[in-house]
Amino acid sequence: MIDGVGVDIVEIARIRKAVETWGGRFLNRVFNPQEILYAHSHQFPYPHFAGRFAAKEAVYKAIGMRTLSWKDITIINAPDGKPVCHLKFSIAGHIHLSISHSRHYAVANAIFVREAVLSHEPSVSFASRKH
C-alpha cells in the first residue's frame, strides 16, 4: 500500500554555490561518505550532489517523519545504476526512488510503500450476510 509520495527539485547552481562557499562543512552536514565519494567520482559532481539532495528531500516528504536528519538518509546506486535509499533505522516498508537531472535542475521522486499488515480477524463476505 502506498503510504507516502515525495518529490523535490533543486537548482544545481544552488548546490554548487553551497559547496564552493562552505566546502566540507556543507558536504559533511548533508551527505554521507558514500554519497560524497560517488559525486566526486564524476567529472562534474554538482548534478550528483543536487540529485541526492533532492532525493533526501523527497524521501523526507514521502515518509513524513519530522525527526529525520540529512544523514539518516543515504542514497546509493545499486549495481544496475538504480538509486537506492538506505535509512539509519528500519521502517515497515520500502522506498521506490527515481532521480534525474538536466543542465540546471535535479529532481527526485520517492514513493513509500508500507508493508501489508495481516489481520487475524476473520473476513466478512457480503454475499453470505443476511439482511
Side-chain angles (χ1 to χ4, degrees), residues 16-119:
R16 181 179 185 153
K17 183 175 180 180
V19 172
E20 289 173 349
T21 302
W22 295 296
R25 282 184 51 210
F26 171 75
L27 292 176
N28 292 316
R29 179 181 171 101
V30 175
F31 301 104
N32 289 298
Q34 305 95 311
E35 296 165 320
I36 295 169
L37 286 171
Y38 173 79
H40 281 306
S41 73
H42 293 83
Q43 184 177 0
F44 302 105
Y46 303 110
H48 303 283
F49 281 126
R52 272 141 180 75
F53 187 96
K56 288 175 181 243
E57 285 282 343
V59 167
Y60 174 81
K61 293 171 183 176
I63 294 176
M65 288 181 62
R66 303 262 183 239
T67 59
L68 277 178
S69 74
W70 289 112
K71 293 182 88 171
D72 287 338
I73 304 166
T74 302
I75 309 298
I76 62 167
N77 288 77
D80 63 0
K82 181 179 175 180
V84 178
C85 175
H86 288 282
L87 300 172
K88 281 193 174 178
F89 52 87
S90 62
I91 56 172
H94 59 278
I95 298 166
H96 296 278
L97 188 60
S98 179
I99 303 171
S100 187
H101 58 80
S102 67
R103 184 175 180 165
H104 300 288
Y105 296 96
V107 64
N109 184 14
I111 301 172
F112 173 45
V113 180
R114 188 174 300 277
E115 290 177 0
V117 177
L118 298 177
S119 172

